[in-house]
Amino acid sequence: MKMLRNTGLFWVMCVLLSACGGNGLPPVGEGGSESIRMEISLAGDVCGVVTAQATVQADDIGVIGPVPLDVTGTSIQGRINSVPAGVSRTVSVFAFNALGLEVYAGSVKVDVAAGQVTAARLALRRNTTNCPGSTTGAIDIIGVLESGEPQPDAGTDAGTDPDGGIVLGGADFNFSFQEATLADNGVIHFMDTDSDRIRRLDLEARAFLPALVGTGDVTAMAVSPDGTASYVAYTGGRIDIFDSQAGGSGRFFAAAPAYVSEMVVAGNYLFTVDGSGAWSTQALYQRSTGARVHAVDWRFSAGNLTFSPLDNSVYYVDVGVSPSDVHRVPVDMTAGRIGNELESPYHGSYNLSSPLRLLPDGSAFILGSGLLFNTSDLTYRSSIGLQFVDVAFHGDRMYIIDTVGGTTQLRVLNSRFDILSAAYYPGTALRIFSHGGKIVLLTSVGSGGFEVRILNP
């Protein structure tokens, strides 16, 4: 299940099958009725799928279906209801082009058990007679078994996910972003450099707020923890501030001597990295006035700036430097001064891949390589032994996402780094957040678009 094979005539991928019955439902082979829900992204389809159907088959139940599935511009969705629990259920999916010719087909045999989750592999074969070519295309297929009557599903716009979560997507989500930040007020800020604006998604309203439109080519973004202020930097060094409480209007905040590549809100200051001076320059701007109160050059180019209010320090991984290292820069909140930069003692001895995320207690941070380092002295602490695209924390659980053959894998780890569960979703992994007792998952789908899933932890 760790890798996907794309070898000309078939495309092997991961499928999540779960029977989510209520308490007391019988185990495999002892009755019970389940419902199979399928969500199939058409990202990468090269055969022009317009219709689809699915069946479930077993010796003790015969054939259920074919059941027609709904085909939209971006996905295939549908259900097969009243599937008896039991062993060796063969789930098959067939997709057809505008001429009614079968262009994709695949099946997988699973044991359907109430209240259990099973991961399986599915080889989706392309019919090379009806759809000639040397590759299979890249259709992401996720199947989920759930018990009871089908829940309402409004497609990709606030549809209901099988786990009780919400799926947000559609035309409004058809853009690319270079950075995403979730504020405490439940608003995700997306830096969209293609259109030079900051897009804002209100998770509670499940709708976009008016975009913060920049005045030039956007190079960096920073958002205050409470979400009331957003800072946008441009190629000329200009920095604007947008006040969400004033209708999202922008005004001049400050101007750096060179364009700002990274910045982060650090308490009462805006901490920036620009290309002036020797190497790079780190600077502090007073948020209340915009005054540049301190600057220090001969600093490394920084990526993934993260501020910890617990020790008033900025953490980052240097970029464009070999060997790479992790750094901590203390900020004196009273004097408005940038302190001496601390590097780890290893200087390239470890895999220091982004992202950098602080643990909730601030005692350590974890990198995309799965390594943990102490914040006090940047010494190595431990490793979860898993690489990831992003990570979020909820209670004593760690939620990590990575991409497995074009499909997002979401794994839950406990404090001992045991893997408690795994789930799979259409599209490649982008970001994951924890907010309001929910897990918020972002995955790319289609051409340049993405979906947001609000999941139960």
Side-chain angles (χ1 to χ4, degrees):
M1 283 200 38
K2 286 294 292 179
M3 66 183 299
L4 173 148
R5 297 181 302 171
N6 193 344
T7 57
L9 293 181
F10 61 92
W11 193 59
V12 178
M13 64 163 305
C14 297
V15 176
L16 180 67
L17 299 171
S18 65
C20 308
N23 294 333
L25 286 181
V28 173
E30 295 186 15
S33 179
E34 308 299 325
S35 174
I36 301 175
R37 180 185 184 275
M38 297 173 209
E39 183 178 348
I40 303 168
S41 172
L42 291 176
D45 171 31
V46 297
C47 298
V49 173
V50 296
T51 61
Q53 61 187 29
T55 64
V56 176
Q57 182 176 359
D59 292 340
D60 60 327
I61 64 173
V63 179
I64 300 175
V67 174
L69 305 175
D70 296 327
V71 178
T72 68
T74 59
S75 65
I76 300 171
Q77 298 178 356
R79 296 174 182 270
I80 302 178
N81 297 321
S82 302
V83 179
V87 298
S88 299
R89 273 48 175 142
T90 300
V91 181
S92 302
V93 178
F94 309 90
F96 307 89
N97 63 14
L99 299 177
L101 300 176
E102 180 187 296
V103 289
Y104 294 102
S107 62
V108 61
K109 185 171 292 187
V110 297
D111 295 339
V112 178
Q116 296 183 12
V117 176
T118 304
R121 297 172 67 90
L122 171 68
L124 182 65
R125 287 177 168 80
R126 191 182 67 169
N127 189 318
T128 55
T129 300
N130 297 334
C131 183
S134 59
T135 62
T136 64
I139 297 182
D140 298 337
I141 295 187
I142 298 297
V144 180
L145 297 182
E146 61 181 8
S147 65
E149 293 300 319
Q151 299 296 316
D153 194 332
T156 57
D157 186 8
T160 302
D161 224 21
D163 72 343
I166 301 297
V167 183
L168 306 178
D172 289 344
F173 295 78
N174 191 26
F175 64 90
S176 298
F177 60 89
Q178 291 67 48
E179 184 179 342
T181 298
L182 175 61
D184 295 339
N185 61 357
V187 176
I188 304 179
H189 294 66
F190 301 93
M191 186 174 77
D192 179 1
T193 59
D194 293 335
S195 60
D196 294 317
R197 65 191 60 201
I198 307 302
R199 302 180 188 268
R200 299 179 298 159
L201 176 64
D202 188 327
L203 292 177
E204 182 176 354
R206 299 171 191 168
F208 279 96
L209 303 174
L212 310 178
V213 181
T215 58
D217 295 331
V218 174
T219 63
M221 171 188 76
V223 181
S224 63
D226 61 5
T228 58
S230 301
Y231 300 86
V232 180
Y234 309 99
T235 53
R238 177 186 174 102
I239 304 172
D240 285 345
I241 181 173
F242 292 81
D243 186 352
S244 63
Q245 295 178 328
S249 59
R251 58 180 174 83
F252 176 79
F253 172 73
Y259 88 90
V260 174
S261 59
E262 293 279 343
M263 58 184 181
V264 66
V265 173
N268 294 326
Y269 302 95
L270 181 68
F271 183 100
T272 67
V273 179
D274 66 59
S276 67
W279 292 3
S280 292
T281 294
Q282 297 172 355
L284 282 183
Y285 293 84
Q286 181 73 46
R287 290 180 58 197
S288 60
T289 64
R292 190 177 191 237
V293 297
H294 193 219
V296 182
D297 62 356
W298 293 103
R299 295 294 170 96
F300 290 102
S301 298
N304 216 173
L305 292 181
T306 303
F307 175 72
S308 172
L310 298 178
D311 61 4
N312 292 327
S313 295
V314 175
Y315 296 86
Y316 71 89
V317 179
D318 54 31
V319 295
V321 178
S322 181
S324 62
D325 212 338
V326 290
H327 302 258
R328 176 168 64 86
V329 180
V331 178
D332 188 328
M333 291 296 167
T334 302
R337 306 285 291 181
I338 298 173
N340 294 328
E341 191 171 39
L342 174 67
E343 302 176 9
S344 83
Y346 309 114
H347 308 303
S349 299
Y350 290 92
N351 180 1
L352 305 177
S353 58
S354 294
L356 183 155
R357 303 286 186 245
L358 286 167
L359 269 60
D361 65 2
S363 66
F365 58 82
I366 186 170
L367 299 174
S369 56
L371 306 182
L372 291 95
F373 292 82
N374 295 305
T375 54
S376 59
D377 56 7
L378 303 186
T379 55
Y380 173 79
R381 172 185 288 191
S382 183
S383 173
I384 66 172
L386 301 168
Q387 298 187 19
F388 56 81
V389 171
D390 201 9
V391 59
F393 304 92
H394 178 76
D396 62 349
R397 299 289 190 259
M398 180 185 300
Y399 294 75
I400 64 172
I401 57 172
D402 64 337
T403 300
V404 180
T407 298
T408 294
Q409 177 179 231
L410 168 58
R411 286 178 284 189
V412 183
L413 281 65
N414 62 17
S415 58
R416 298 178 302 177
F417 307 150
D418 299 321
I419 300 176
L420 303 179
S421 64
Y424 301 86
Y425 301 90
T428 57
L430 293 176
R431 287 299 308 271
I432 189 168
F433 303 101
S434 175
H435 177 76
K438 300 288 186 180
I439 299 300
V440 182
L441 173 65
L442 278 60
T443 59
S444 66
V445 295
S447 178
F450 66 97
E451 288 181 342
V452 177
R453 279 177 165 76
I454 305 173
L455 307 170
N456 292 319

